[in-house]
Each structure stands twice: as C-alpha cells, then as structure tokens.
C-alpha cells in the first residue's frame, strides 16, 4: 500500500505562468496529459464547493478536468463548449490554433468534442468563436505547451530555453522526445484559473497570460484545411438531431394559442375512436398531443386543435402600422437612453450652420431566424429527475440552466446532447430554440422519452424575431464637401427574450421578460453597437433608445412579438441607416461614395478594405446618382453602392451592383464584391465560405425578409408567405481576403457579411434611379412607392 508520504514524494507541483502544474507518476501504461480548469470568483464554484453533488454530469471546473488530451500515440483530443452550428470553426480554426500553439501537425488533432454539457468544460455559444484572437482553446493550448516544455526540460536534462518543438517532438542538447513519450506512464494535471458562470450566455473564460506563439512562427494558421464534418455529413455518417430515436419514445405536437395573447378556455376532446393510441396533456396554456407514431400525433393534434377554444386578443398594431406605432405610441421614456463613446463636439450648432443637410428616417422590419427545418428536440426525463435533451442548440449550457430553473431542479440533473441540424443564426444563443422545454414538460408528464417537432407554421408564428426599429439621422455637410456633424437616434425594442415559450405557456419558472431592470442583453436598454469609423468628423452624437417588446405588456401571456438577437444584432439595425446616410451625404457633397468614406476615415484597416473593394469591383469613381439615372419606365437601370463596417476586430467593405426595373420596383443583385481584413487569416478556404454564406443571407434580408402580423399575431406560416433568397437569385460573388499579420490577432469572420448588403443595395437603388428608399426590405411594393414619391 502506498503511504501518504510516499504518495507525496511522487507528486510534484510547479507554477506555469500563473497556472499550477502537478504531476503524479502512474505505474501502469497509458497516461495522458490532461488540462483542466479551476474557477475563480464564481457563484458556480461556491455552489459546487458547498455541494459536491452538483458537479455530477459536468467536467469539474474546480478540479483538473479534461479539455486537451495528448495521448501516448501522439494524437490529440480537444474539447470546447461552443457547439458547431455550421460555421465549421471548431473543426478548422480551433484545430489550427491548437496545432500551432503546441507545434504539432493539424492532422495530429484527431478528435474534437463540442457542445455536449457533460463532455465539455466551458459553456458559451456558437458565436464569437475566435474571441478577438484569444479563444479559450488558444490559452489552454499555450498553457499546455509550457507545461510540456517544463517536463521535457526535466526529462532531457536541458534548460527549457534551449528546447525547441517541431511536429510534437521536443529537441535540445542533441536529445529529443515526442509528446506521446513525454506523457507516457504518467498523468499530468494543469490547473488554470477561469472566471465566469458556466450557464451564462458567455460561459467560462480562461484567465492568465501564458506566452503565445509569435505570429512569425505560425506554420499551420494561414493555410486552407478542409472542414472535416462536411464529408461526414455528405456521406450520411452524422446523426442529425431530427434522426434521434429512443426506446419507448412518443411523438408530440404542441397546440399553441390562437394568438400571441390568447389564454386557454378549453382543450378539445380527443377522438379516441380515430386515435386510440394518442393522449392529450394540458398544463396552463400548454396543450400537447402525444402518440406512438409521428403521423398519428400530427393528425390527432389537428383534430384536438379544431375543438380547442382560446380567448380573443388584439393587442398588436399590425405590421402596416408598425413604424407609426413605434414612433407615436411606444414607451421610449422608461428606458434610459444610451450614448456613443464616439460622441464629441457640439452637433446642434454644426447642423444649424450646415451648408447642406441630410435629415431622414430609416425603417427596419422584424425578421425571422428562419431555419430550413423547424425546431425539434427529444427529451427523456428519468424517474430520478435526471433529464437528457437531444437537440441542435447554440448554447447547451445556457439551455441546461433554463431547464433546471423550469423544473426547480439543479443543473447537475440536466444533460444536453448536441447534434447537427438547421442553423437559426442566434435564436438559441441564449439557450432555447423553442421545442426543448416543451419536450421536457411532456416527457416528465408521461414518464417516457418524447420528441417534439414544431410544424412550419409553429416556427413562423411562435419563434422569436429579430427586432424591428427605426433611426433618425442628421448629417451636416460643409462648404468644402465634408461631414461637419453626424447625429443618430436609434430606436429599437428589447433585443433578447430568452424565456422558453413552453415554460411561459405552462406557467413554470423562467427568467424575467425583457425589462429595463434586467442586466445586459435581456434589458430593454439599446446600446450603441456600431463602431464609429469616421473619426475626422468633428461633431458626433449617437444615442440608443429602447423600449419593451411590442405587445408584451398587454398580452395576458406577457409575450407579444418576442425578440431575439440575430446575426450582427443591434449593429445591423444601426449600421444600415448610418451607411445609407453616409452614401446620401456623399451625394449631397457631389463626391464619390467610396472616396468620401476614405476622406472621412482615419483607421488604416478601414481605408484598406475600402480601397480593396474599390479595386476588386472595378468601381467607376464618380458621384451618385449616375448621370442617366431614371425612376420611371420599364427599362431596367443599373447602379452600385458601398457599405463599411467593423465588427469583432474585423474590417469589412462591400460593393453591390444591381439592376432595378422602375415600373415594377423589382431589384436583382448582379454582382457582390466584399473585402475582409480580419487581421490574421486562419483558414482562407473556410473564411471565404463563411463570408459567402453571410453575404447570401444579407442579400435575402435586404430584398425580401419582413415579418407581417395583424392585431393578434404573425400571419406568415410558410416559405411562400415569408420568402427568402433562392439559389437562382445568388449573384456573381467575389471575396477579397486581406491577410494582415501585423495586426497580431484574428478577428471574427462570419457575422457582418450579412449586414453589409442592405445599405449597399439601397445606395445602388439611389445611384440607378436618383431616389432614396430608406425602408427595408427593398421589396417591389416599397421600391415602387419610393420611386413614385
């Protein structure tokens, strides 16, 4: 038997740039280097310390737990709480980042574990993968590299600073040893400080300042590697969320209320003669129909729904009156206005003294996240209270917290398993997409696994929406053709309602509805989110105005039009009016729209993307509108427009070339050119794909996407009533990637591409016709009306 003193003699510990490394010799083969984390200053840690049982079904953050494993055969496994949502970053950029920090080949990282709440340590969601250049996985790899060098120094008898590593082989003093041999027969545990809350929106964040590999020594970053999950999806080797089946599982449909404010009067009686194997479950305003087969569940739900009675509610303004309602009736006083950090000078006198002045209002609609497949989930609530959820979700740890809250349970009893599925661009980044909580409620009620699949109409009418808004912009142009003042007032209802809708309907606990008193993202406060890029403008004032969700306060269900962040949230609603207004100001000044921006920018990278997109698009330098612009007639006319943005450390500029038919108002984007400077380009092929995907989405929301609703609820129920861009509408596309290693870090490469199209297309309409269309989407009816004005 090994005594305590003998055991201690075999253990050693050291400090590795603030992290603590301990080492225990194992007598048997097969050890591995395991990197785990300790949590600092978190309520989660305090709870775990008081109640160790709460760590069940989690990778323990207070003790060393696996995030990076280096195996004796030199293969490596990495884990991240961020689930892949189609971006592919976990399978490409994350592997490249770890490979470079550890000095191993890309191919050495053979396994990526992501998303599952019981198999990953850090939480957070499928967004901001690159963390402004320092995602958790990079720091974890950097700490690991230092620990391996310490061990190699001891093993080889060579000073640490005399060692070098290539392809996982540590060399020095004429000796060498592989990572695999270094960790063989022993287990190393590296404890790294971490802050945060596991089930919060952003999860845990690795702390400390371990040395990172210099950019000049990168050998893997900067090269194109294939996204490994694509081939497995194409070869049908992946299990999709919608394919999950459990023994004894029932299928279910939920009958949602007739309106966004209706309460249940009586549930329809099930026709047992027609549906002998079905059952109805009612809790509060939640009505579920369950059956052994999916087809019977659909039919039985239709029969029950036809006989179910709801109260009448008419508390919405209707989409035709939306902006009048926002401008005249919404409560913008209860929520404090915010101000931009770029504010300077005195805007009022500058506007009053303007040589020329732009004063305009810009309108943005509600939009859907619109996954191609409606949301679904399988839940299995065990007799002991343990809950398993199988779904496609952007933030599984946050979902875990929401379900625990709903059931008045603890997170150790909730396990979320993630699978590939249809993307929905932010809808579940706060934890739920719609079906997960309903599946849990029904599974708990019947004591069996339950699969809830929303129908297309459910997804259109009961999912959250990207919030609408409007902006009032004023720009003063002086007698030299320069912007002397810029003033913006952005108005938008609360951005993020994370409440699970099934829990709301059933009257179960949820987090609070968006309110002025809530913290951060679920508050009604409207912060300025669009970085100001025109520093030479001497007078700047930007204000954000927030209010409650439309209909929330009068709905007996307290829901109304529920909002949720969608790609480039808030910034899209602020960048569209700003960039279109800047194009209008250029026209007032008689200046070329790109040169006008360059003349008002000071940041080298912003100027760089503008010049790059100008050159790549073959831009014809001249003022807008074009000399032969016309706003009438059946002859199509062409125009071009530009837009600019900075987001997540990346600079973007886009040029759209369009053709518009004045008589019909129909617009077709013929060519889309975009320049991107993310700093360091990690994987050119993958970044290009992400940019192209975002660009297609951006054209779709610019031309087509708008939620319509009457006084009671959303009136769209399919892709005909809510059209999106088709493959036939995709324009010629050119992506210019500006690899800029001197920046020293890598910025985000996916969001923003979706936001650039709208202001560029609207500016192109002005270039072609001489008329400004400030209301989105740019669908024919709105364009026609503007051209006739």
């Amino acid at each position: 038997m090994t005594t305590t003193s003998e055991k201690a003699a075999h253990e050693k510990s050291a400090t590795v740039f603030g992290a603590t490394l301990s080492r225990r010799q194992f007598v048997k083969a097969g050890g591995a280097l395991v990197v785990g984390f300790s949590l600092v200053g978190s309520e989660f840690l305090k709870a775990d310390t008081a109640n160790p049982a709460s760590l069940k079904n989690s990778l323990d953050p207070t003790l060393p737990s696996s995030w990076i494993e280096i195996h004796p055969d030199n293969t490596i496994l990495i884990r991240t709480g961020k689930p892949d949502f189609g971006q592919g970053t976990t399978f490409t950029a994350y592997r490249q980042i770890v490979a470079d920090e550890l000095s191993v080949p890309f191919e050495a990282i053979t396994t990526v574990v992501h998303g599952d709440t019981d198999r990953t340590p850090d939480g957070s969601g499928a967004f901001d993968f690159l963390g402004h250049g320092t995602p958790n996985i990079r720091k974890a790899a950097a700490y690991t590299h230092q620990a391996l060098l310490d061990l190699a120094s001891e093993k080889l008898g060579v000073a640490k600073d005399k060692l070098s590593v290539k392809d996982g082989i540590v060399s020095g003093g004429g000796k060498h040893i592989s990572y695999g041999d270094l960790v063989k027969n022993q287990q190393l545990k590296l404890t790294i400080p971490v802050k945060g809350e596991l089930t919060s929106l952003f999860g845990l964040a690795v702390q400390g300042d371990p040395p990172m590999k210099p950019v000049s020594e990168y050998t893997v970053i900067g090269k194109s590697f294939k996204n490994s999950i694509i081939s497995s999806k194409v070869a049908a080797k992946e299990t999709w969320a919608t394919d999950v089946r459990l023994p004894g599982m029932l299928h279910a449909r939920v009958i949602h209320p007739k309106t966004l404010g209706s309460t249940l009067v009586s549930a329809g009686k099930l026709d047992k003669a027609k549906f002998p194997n079905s059952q109805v479950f009612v809790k509060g305003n939640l009505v579920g129909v369950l059956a052994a087969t999916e087809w019977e569940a659909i039919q039985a739900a239709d029969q029950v729904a036809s006989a179910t009675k709801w109260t009448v509610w008419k508390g919405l303004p209707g989409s035709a009156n939306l902006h009048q309602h926002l401008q005249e009736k919404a409560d913008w006083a209860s929520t404090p206005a915010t101000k931009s950090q770029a504010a300077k000078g005195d805007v009022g006198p500058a506007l009053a003294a303007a040589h020329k002045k732009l004063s305009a209002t810009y309108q943005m609609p509600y939009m859907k996240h619109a996954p191609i497949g409606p949301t679904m989930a399988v839940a299995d609530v065990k007799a002991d209270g343990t809950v398993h959820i199988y779904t496609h979700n952007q933030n599984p740890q946050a979902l875990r917290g929401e379900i625990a809250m709903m059931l008045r349970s603890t997170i150790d009893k909730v396990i979320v398993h993630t699978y590939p599925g249809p993307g929905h661009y932010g809808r579940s980044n706060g934890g739920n997409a719609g079906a997960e909580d309903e599946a849990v409620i029904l599974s708990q009620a019947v004591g069996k696994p339950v699969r809830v699949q929303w129908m297309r109409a459910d997804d259109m009418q009961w999912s959250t929406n990207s919030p609408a808004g409007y902006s009032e912009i004023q720009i003063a142009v002086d007698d030299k053709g320069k912007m002397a003042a810029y003033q913006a007032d952005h108005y938008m209802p609360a951005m993020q309602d994370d409440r699970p809708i099934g829990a709301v309907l059933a009257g179960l606990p949820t987090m609070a509805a968006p309110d002025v008193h809530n913290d951060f993202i679920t508050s009604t406060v409207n912060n300025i989110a669009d970085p100001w890029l025109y520093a030479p403008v001497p007078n700047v004032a930007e204000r954000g105005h927030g209010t409650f969700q439309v209909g929330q306060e009068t709905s007996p269900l307290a829901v109304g039009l529920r909002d949720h962040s969608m790609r480039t949230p808030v910034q899209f609603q602020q960048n569209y009016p700003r960039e279109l207004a800047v194009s209008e100001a250029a026209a007032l000044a008689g200046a070329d729209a790109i040169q006008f921006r360059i003349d008002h920018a000071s940041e080298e990278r912003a100027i760089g993307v503008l010049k790059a997109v100008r050159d790549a698009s073959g831009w014809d330098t001249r003022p807008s509108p074009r000399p032969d612009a016309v706003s009438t007639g059946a002859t199509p006319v062409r125009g071009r427009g530009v837009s600019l943005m900075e987001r997540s450390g990346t600079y973007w500029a886009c040029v759209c070339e369009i053709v518009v038919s004045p008589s019909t108002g129909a617009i077709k984007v013929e060519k889309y050119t975009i320049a991107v400077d993310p700093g360091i380009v990690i994987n050119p092929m993958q970044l290009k794909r992400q940019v192209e995907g975002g660009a297609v989405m951006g054209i779709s929301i610019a031309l087509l996407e708008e939620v319509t609703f009457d006084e009671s609820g959303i009136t769209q129920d399919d892709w005909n009533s809510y059209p999106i861009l088709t493959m036939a509408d995709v324009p010629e596309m050119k992506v210019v990637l500006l690899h800029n290693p001197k920046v020293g870090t890598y910025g985000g490469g996916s969001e923003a591409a979706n936001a650039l199209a709208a202001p560029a297309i609207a500016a192109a309409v002005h270039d072609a016709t001489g008329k400004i269309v400030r209301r989105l989407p740019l669908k024919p009816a709105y364009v026609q009306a503007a051209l006739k004005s």
Side-chain angles (χ1 to χ4, degrees):
M1 176 181 294
T2 303
T3 66
T4 301
S5 58
E6 290 171 334
K7 183 178 176 182
H10 286 292
E11 292 184 1
K12 297 180 179 180
S13 64
T15 299
V16 183
F17 296 95
T20 301
L21 172 68
S22 65
R23 189 159 62 246
R24 176 178 298 179
Q25 300 292 332
F26 274 26
V27 295
K28 60 182 180 180
L33 177 65
V34 181
V35 180
F37 302 91
S38 69
L39 196 66
V40 176
S42 166
E43 293 301 318
F44 181 71
L45 172 62
K46 294 174 184 174
D48 289 342
T49 303
N51 179 16
S54 67
L55 294 176
K56 184 180 176 184
N57 296 316
S58 297
L59 290 184
D60 187 349
T62 68
L63 299 172
S65 59
S66 298
W67 207 12
I68 294 177
E69 293 181 6
I70 298 176
H71 301 132
D73 63 357
N74 293 316
T75 62
I76 297 173
L77 175 150
I78 64 174
R79 295 189 174 95
T80 173
K82 288 179 172 295
D84 178 64
F85 227 61
Q87 302 98 326
T89 303
T90 57
F91 299 101
T92 54
Y94 273 21
R95 292 171 72 189
Q96 291 176 259
I97 290 168
V98 172
D100 256 334
E101 290 296 339
L102 293 179
S103 297
V104 300
F106 175 82
E107 294 78 10
I109 302 169
T110 55
T111 307
V112 178
V113 179
H114 62 99
D116 292 353
T117 57
D118 59 337
R119 299 199 300 152
T120 60
D122 58 333
S124 187
F127 51 85
D128 192 28
F129 277 94
L130 298 182
H132 294 268
T134 315
N136 281 341
I137 196 71
R138 184 183 182 192
K139 280 193 174 182
Y143 275 125
T144 304
H145 178 66
Q146 294 299 319
L148 287 164
L149 288 179
D150 283 341
L151 181 58
S153 175
E154 182 180 313
K155 284 267 188 180
L156 299 179
V158 178
K160 185 178 177 181
D161 61 358
K162 302 297 182 185
L163 296 174
S164 62
V165 186
K166 183 178 181 182
D167 295 337
I169 306 294
V170 187
S171 302
K175 308 170 188 175
H176 64 269
I177 187 170
S178 70
Y179 281 164
D181 287 337
L182 203 55
V183 302
K184 193 176 292 180
N185 299 329
Q186 60 185 321
Q187 184 171 351
L188 304 183
K189 294 184 176 180
L190 180 67
T191 303
I192 301 172
V194 172
K195 278 187 176 179
E197 191 169 349
L198 183 61
T199 57
S200 70
L201 183 67
F202 296 104
L204 305 178
V206 177
Q207 303 296 292
D209 190 25
M212 306 286 186
K213 174 168 283 192
V215 175
S216 60
E217 296 180 13
Y218 283 169
T219 59
V220 181
I221 289 175
K223 297 178 180 177
S224 292
F225 290 93
K226 293 181 179 178
N227 179 358
S228 57
I229 198 172
I230 291 178
S231 58
S232 61
K233 285 179 177 177
V234 172
K237 294 179 179 177
E238 290 291 322
T239 299
W240 294 72
T242 192
D243 296 325
V244 172
R245 298 291 186 273
L246 299 179
M249 185 185 80
L250 298 180
H251 294 267
R253 291 295 184 273
V254 170
I255 301 170
H256 290 110
K258 189 174 182 62
T259 76
L260 294 174
S262 293
T263 56
L264 182 65
V265 175
S266 62
K269 186 177 180 181
L270 179 68
D271 185 344
K272 290 296 269 185
K274 289 184 177 179
F275 308 109
N277 300 314
S278 297
Q279 56 184 308
V280 177
F281 172 77
V282 178
K283 185 173 182 61
N285 296 299
L286 179 77
V287 180
V289 179
L290 306 98
T293 69
E294 187 164 20
W295 182 231
E296 182 170 334
I298 294 171
Q299 291 180 302
D302 283 346
Q303 182 262 304
V304 173
S306 65
T308 298
K309 297 180 180 178
W310 303 91
T311 60
V312 176
W313 179 75
K314 294 183 177 182
L316 300 175
S319 47
N321 304 313
L322 170 63
H323 289 97
Q324 181 181 3
H325 169 84
L326 292 176
Q327 289 177 268
E328 298 177 2
K329 298 182 179 178
D331 172 15
W332 302 104
S334 297
T335 300
T338 59
K339 295 182 179 179
S340 164
Q341 294 181 348
K344 61 180 178 180
D346 195 347
V347 170
L351 287 170
H355 177 66
K356 293 182 179 179
K357 181 180 171 182
L358 169 71
S359 182
T361 300
Y362 302 80
Q363 299 174 338
M364 287 71 69
Y366 285 103
M367 294 181 288
K368 303 302 297 186
H369 298 82
I372 293 300
T375 183
M376 57 72 52
V378 175
D380 185 8
V381 181
K382 304 288 189 182
D384 65 357
T386 302
V387 180
H388 290 265
I389 302 170
Y390 306 81
T391 189
H392 178 62
N393 187 278
Q394 253 180 300
N395 197 327
Q397 292 286 5
L399 172 63
R400 186 187 192 193
E402 290 175 357
I403 297 301
M405 176 184 290
M406 181 183 80
L407 298 178
R408 299 181 177 87
S409 182
T410 51
I411 64 169
D412 64 292
K413 292 188 175 181
V414 181
I415 304 104
V416 180
H417 310 270
T418 62
Y419 295 83
H424 44 246
Y425 311 108
R427 179 164 133 191
S428 64
N429 66 25
N432 72 88
E436 301 96 332
D437 48 302
E438 294 180 342
V440 170
I441 293 169
L442 295 178
S443 175
Q444 185 186 47
V446 299
K448 294 181 179 180
V450 172
R451 179 180 184 275
V452 168
Q453 170 79 65
W454 279 18
M455 303 298 278
R456 172 54 58 195
D458 292 311
D459 212 272
M460 288 292 182
Q461 298 173 344
W462 279 91
S463 66
T464 51
N465 312 283
S466 171
Y470 73 97
S471 298
E472 295 173 342
I473 309 286
Q474 295 188 66
I475 297 178
V477 177
D478 65 20
D479 57 359
K480 297 181 178 60
K482 298 295 178 63
M483 285 193 285
Y486 175 87
Q487 176 174 289
D489 286 279
H490 300 292
Y491 297 83
M492 190 181 78
M495 184 189 72
Q496 186 119 344
D497 187 346
D498 280 331
R499 295 174 297 164
I501 189 61
V504 172
L505 296 176
L508 295 173
T510 70
M511 69 280 285
D515 187 85
V516 64
H517 303 297
N518 290 1
D519 292 332
F520 187 44
I521 202 166
T522 61
S523 168
T524 53
V525 172
N526 183 15
N527 289 305
I528 300 299
D530 191 29
W532 178 245
L533 296 176
Y534 305 107
V537 178
N539 302 289
V540 178
E542 297 175 291
R543 293 178 287 267
H545 307 270
T547 189
F548 304 95
Q549 298 179 116
V550 174
Q552 174 188 318
E553 292 184 305
T554 62
S555 166
L557 300 174
V559 291
L561 288 167
R562 291 186 304 136
D563 297 331
H564 209 278
S565 56
M566 194 169 82
R567 262 183 162 178
T568 324
V570 186
Q571 189 171 1
F572 168 76
Q573 284 87 349
Q574 296 174 4
N575 182 268
Y576 163 71
R578 184 192 79 187
E579 284 302 297
L580 179 53
V582 170
S583 289
E584 292 183 63
L588 278 179
D592 173 78
I594 289 183
Q595 189 59 48
F596 187 74
R597 284 172 167 80
I598 292 173
D599 291 343
H600 287 86
S602 61
E603 295 179 59
E604 180 184 341
R605 295 172 69 193
I607 294 171
V609 292
L610 286 166
K611 290 181 176 178
V613 81
R614 179 183 63 190
D615 296 343
S617 66
W619 180 269
D620 175 23
T621 301
R622 58 169 173 76
S624 285
R626 59 186 299 157
D628 57 349
V630 294
S631 60
T632 59
T635 302
V637 288
R638 286 179 166 77
R640 83 280 193 272
V642 62
S643 58
L644 175 68
M645 176 182 283
E646 187 263 317
R647 181 173 178 79
S648 299
T650 298
Y651 289 76
W652 307 73
C654 150
V655 165
C656 285
E657 297 170 55
I658 65 127
V659 58
V660 55
S661 174
S663 61
T664 65
I667 296 171
K668 181 175 177 59
V669 179
E670 295 185 311
K671 186 177 177 182
Y672 181 105
T673 306
I674 187 167
V676 187
D677 175 0
I680 298 166
V681 175
I682 296 177
N683 186 322
M685 178 172 63
Q686 190 64 16
L687 178 57
K688 181 172 181 288
R689 288 171 175 167
Q690 292 180 341
V691 173
E692 290 173 340
V696 170
M697 182 181 185
I699 297 170
S700 182
I701 63 180
L703 297 182
L704 299 166
E705 299 190 35
E706 178 183 34
V707 173
T708 59
F709 54 94
D710 59 18
E711 294 175 317
S712 297
I714 294 169
T715 53
Q716 292 147 317
D717 57 8
D718 57 23
W719 294 117
N720 290 321
S721 51
Y722 188 87
I724 59 174
L725 206 72
T726 68
M727 291 298 291
D729 301 319
V730 175
E732 174 188 348
M733 201 167 293
K734 181 183 288 186
V735 178
V736 181
L737 301 180
L738 302 177
H739 180 54
N740 197 351
K742 68 181 181 183
V743 174
T745 187
Y746 24 83
S750 185
E751 291 192 8
N754 66 296
L756 289 159
I761 295 172
V765 173
H766 173 238
D767 186 55
T769 67
K771 295 292 185 71
I772 296 290
V773 187
R774 301 188 178 98
R775 177 182 181 180
L776 289 179
L778 299 167
K779 60 185 185 182
Y782 299 162
V783 174
Q784 264 190 322
L787 296 184
K788 290 178 180 177
S789 64

